[in-house]
Amino acid sequence: MSCERLDYVEEKILKACERAKRKREEVLLLGASKSVPAERLRDFFQCGLRVFGENRVQEFLKKWESLKDLPIDWHFIGRLQSNKVKYIIDKVSLIHSLDRQSLLEELSKRAENIGKVQEVLIEVNVGGEETKGGVEPSNLKGFFEVCLKAKGIKVTGLMCIPPYREDPEEVRPYFAMLRKLRDELEEEFKVRLTHLSMGMSHDFEVAIEEGATIVRIGTLLFGSRV
């Protein structure tokens, strides 16, 4: 069943890439594995899924311990409290949710302490929703400039969680906005920002058409969770 679900998602990614005239290799499939038991992740790993993203530090640490015999590429994709950074800084390759100065300082300090350059994405609040984290689009350039001066971290792109809409086409403008913001940063600061982490189970195909390089798929892979 796990392999069938993975094949189904892979097929959808491939078709979206073809529509956008992109190569399949340009899009990383991340299994958004919040609330999914470690042994199910082991099944998916055996089917070929290599990248998993967790939202909660405590849950992540338990899974990391259970699955450390596997060369999983772990990402952290949820809201991250500054006081939890020390627990994950040596265990994840990419943090998707940098959105404030205090977190930047803690990430920078903790990464430097272990001699690491931690790759991060800046989360942007593209829908201006009060219930979500993320830097306001109007503040992005200023925050990015601060990030460029920080040691121990490297910004490799942007992430967003747009407002939920039944019709994925209605989400397209938010994905286009994130891509435009990324392009503007690259142009102004003469840097390369590889990643756009955008698109989840119900809208990832539209996200791919708009330039996503990482899609965070949960329900479509693992089924509904509490």
Side-chain angles (χ1 to χ4, degrees):
M1 184 55 123
S2 301
C3 295
E4 285 170 19
R5 280 182 176 270
L6 182 57
D7 288 346
Y8 174 73
V9 173
E10 279 288 353
E11 183 67 23
K12 282 186 165 294
I13 291 174
L14 183 61
K15 285 182 175 164
C17 286
E18 286 170 355
R19 284 195 300 276
K21 296 184 169 48
R22 299 178 64 194
K23 294 177 181 168
R24 170 64 191 88
E25 308 85 71
E26 293 174 33
V27 181
L28 179 70
L29 170 57
L30 175 151
S33 47
K34 178 178 76 175
S35 305
V36 181
E39 286 315 302
R40 281 210 73 206
L41 302 194
R42 188 178 290 277
D43 289 345
F44 274 89
F45 184 89
Q46 305 302 350
C47 295
L49 188 58
R50 293 289 178 265
V51 185
F52 295 91
E54 287 288 323
N55 289 62
R56 302 183 186 116
V57 170
Q58 224 170 340
E59 183 185 339
F60 163 61
L61 293 174
K62 286 178 183 169
K63 288 181 193 172
W64 182 85
E65 189 62 39
S66 297
L67 299 168
K68 62 183 181 183
D69 57 308
L70 301 178
I72 289 172
D73 181 6
W74 291 106
H75 292 197
F76 194 82
I77 60 176
R79 192 90 196 267
L80 182 57
Q81 294 171 285
S82 298
N83 63 356
K84 299 283 178 67
V85 168
K86 60 189 174 206
Y87 300 115
I88 70 166
I89 194 77
D90 60 335
K91 298 176 178 68
V92 297
S93 67
L94 185 62
I95 293 168
H96 291 229
S97 48
L98 173 60
D99 65 351
R100 60 197 186 280
Q101 178 85 29
S102 58
L103 181 57
L104 170 65
E105 289 167 3
E106 185 67 13
L107 284 167
S108 180
K109 180 180 85 176
R110 295 289 178 180
E112 270 205 284
N113 283 350
I114 62 168
K116 179 182 185 181
V117 176
Q118 176 65 60
E119 294 193 357
V120 298
L121 306 179
I122 296 175
E123 181 176 353
V124 183
N125 191 341
V126 289
E129 295 174 282
E130 288 181 16
T131 54
K132 286 181 183 163
V135 177
E136 294 299 319
S138 58
N139 298 332
L140 179 59
K141 285 184 183 177
F143 185 62
F144 183 69
E145 206 161 3
V146 174
C147 291
L148 284 177
K149 295 171 186 161
K151 293 177 181 174
I153 69 135
K154 182 183 182 188
V155 177
T156 59
L158 305 178
M159 181 270 247
C160 74
I161 305 171
Y164 180 83
R165 299 286 185 267
E166 247 349 282
D167 180 2
E169 280 300 326
E170 292 178 24
V171 188
R172 190 182 291 276
Y174 296 107
F175 295 144
M177 182 200 297
L178 195 73
R179 188 188 68 239
K180 183 170 181 284
L181 289 168
R182 190 272 312 270
D183 293 349
E184 287 171 359
L185 291 178
E186 286 189 329
E187 176 68 28
E188 184 163 334
F189 294 97
K190 307 298 179 224
V191 292
R192 176 88 178 95
L193 297 172
T194 315
H195 285 306
L196 289 173
S197 172
M198 58 189 196
M200 295 189 277
S201 287
H202 67 291
D203 58 15
F204 71 94
E205 292 161 278
V206 170
I208 289 170
E209 290 168 11
E210 291 299 329
T213 65
I214 304 174
V215 290
R216 310 181 305 272
I217 310 297
T219 306
L220 209 58
L221 281 171
F222 307 115
S224 297
R225 291 153 293 165
V226 178

